[in-house]
Each structure stands twice: as C-alpha cells, then as structure tokens.
Amino acid sequence: MSRRIARETVFKMVFEYTYYLEKNDGTLELMLLDSSLDDDDKRFINDVYDGTIMHYDEIKEIISQNTHGFDINRIYRPDFAILVVAVYELKYTDTPVPVVINEAVELAKRYGEEKSGKFVNGVLKGVITKE
C-alpha cells in the first residue's frame, strides 16, 4: 500500500515539475515527511522524481509518439504527469508492466477526467508494444 502512496507522491511532484520545469527540493522535503512512507518508498520517490527530470525530454517524445491525434501540449495536465511517471517506470525500473499500467490508470481515475483512465491505458499500451 505504501508503494501506491509513494507513486502518488511522485505523480504530484512531477505534476508540479510540468509547470515550472525545475526540481523543487522544498516540496520534495515536505512530501517525504509523510509518516506512511518507509525508507524504500522514500528512495523510490527520489529515484523516480530525479529520473523523470533527467529523462523528461525523452519521455515527452515517447508520449508524443503514442498520442495519435493529440498535441502533447494539450493533454490534460494530470494525465500527462501520470504518463510521465508511468513511462519512466516502464523504461527505467523493474516494476512489472501490469502494475505500472494498473497504478497509472487508477491515478488517472482519481485525478483525471471521465475518460482519463482509458486515455492513459491506451497511451501506455502503445508504449509497451513498441518496446
């Protein structure tokens, strides 16, 4: 359960990053104060947050290649942030593909619009079939 919280925390950090395009250590420190997070979760948050920033342009390109008919800059911002985290996890972590997709869709249902879950699922299916 705490990994789900950690993933949601990373999503929030990446969501913020998409607006300012710079790392916010202050927000990161505040997020890591969550008592439900253990050391592994905190390491996961740091690694994924840093990794998404390091590979941001590449991840944007991968998302863009899999959003047929959508200008990447017009994607609903929470959906985009969810996709950034999920694509990073798919490419750079050993998290099982079904877990990444399921967690991303659940975040989209929680933070997105009515069709966000289907949209995120479709984009990620495209990403995994091209790997």
Side-chain angles (χ1 to χ4, degrees):
M1 181 60 159
S2 62
R3 181 50 54 97
R4 178 170 280 174
I5 294 167
R7 192 171 281 106
E8 187 171 347
T9 300
V10 171
F11 153 70
K12 292 174 182 176
M13 298 299 305
V14 170
F15 180 78
E16 178 186 60
Y17 179 81
T18 66
Y19 282 95
Y20 304 108
L21 298 179
E22 58 183 56
K23 185 175 180 180
N24 187 331
D25 290 321
T27 302
L28 178 60
E29 285 178 37
L30 285 174
M31 293 292 207
L32 294 177
L33 293 175
D34 184 336
S35 62
S36 65
L37 299 170
D38 63 23
D39 288 342
D40 283 343
D41 295 325
K42 291 176 183 179
R43 200 168 14 265
F44 173 84
I45 291 166
N46 276 305
D47 290 349
V48 174
Y49 183 48
D50 287 343
T52 57
I53 291 169
M54 185 181 328
H55 298 283
Y56 187 71
D57 290 334
E58 174 194 356
I59 292 168
K60 272 181 69 173
E61 182 58 32
I62 291 168
I63 293 169
S64 182
Q65 291 170 2
N66 290 282
T67 52
H68 313 289
F70 282 91
D71 176 345
I72 192 167
N73 297 313
R74 297 189 52 115
I75 296 173
Y76 185 57
R77 190 69 58 116
D79 294 353
F80 178 69
I82 291 163
L83 287 168
V84 169
V85 173
V87 169
Y88 175 81
E89 274 197 87
L90 289 171
K91 287 196 61 71
Y92 296 102
T93 72
D94 58 1
T95 306
V97 169
V99 172
V100 173
I101 292 174
N102 182 58
E103 292 290 317
V105 168
E106 289 303 313
L107 279 171
K109 288 178 181 176
R110 183 166 181 189
Y111 289 98
E113 298 177 317
E114 186 178 324
K115 296 180 180 178
S116 292
K118 287 181 182 179
F119 176 74
V120 166
N121 187 53
V123 173
L124 294 178
K125 293 278 189 203
V127 171
I128 62 170
T129 56
K130 290 181 181 173
E131 295 219 340

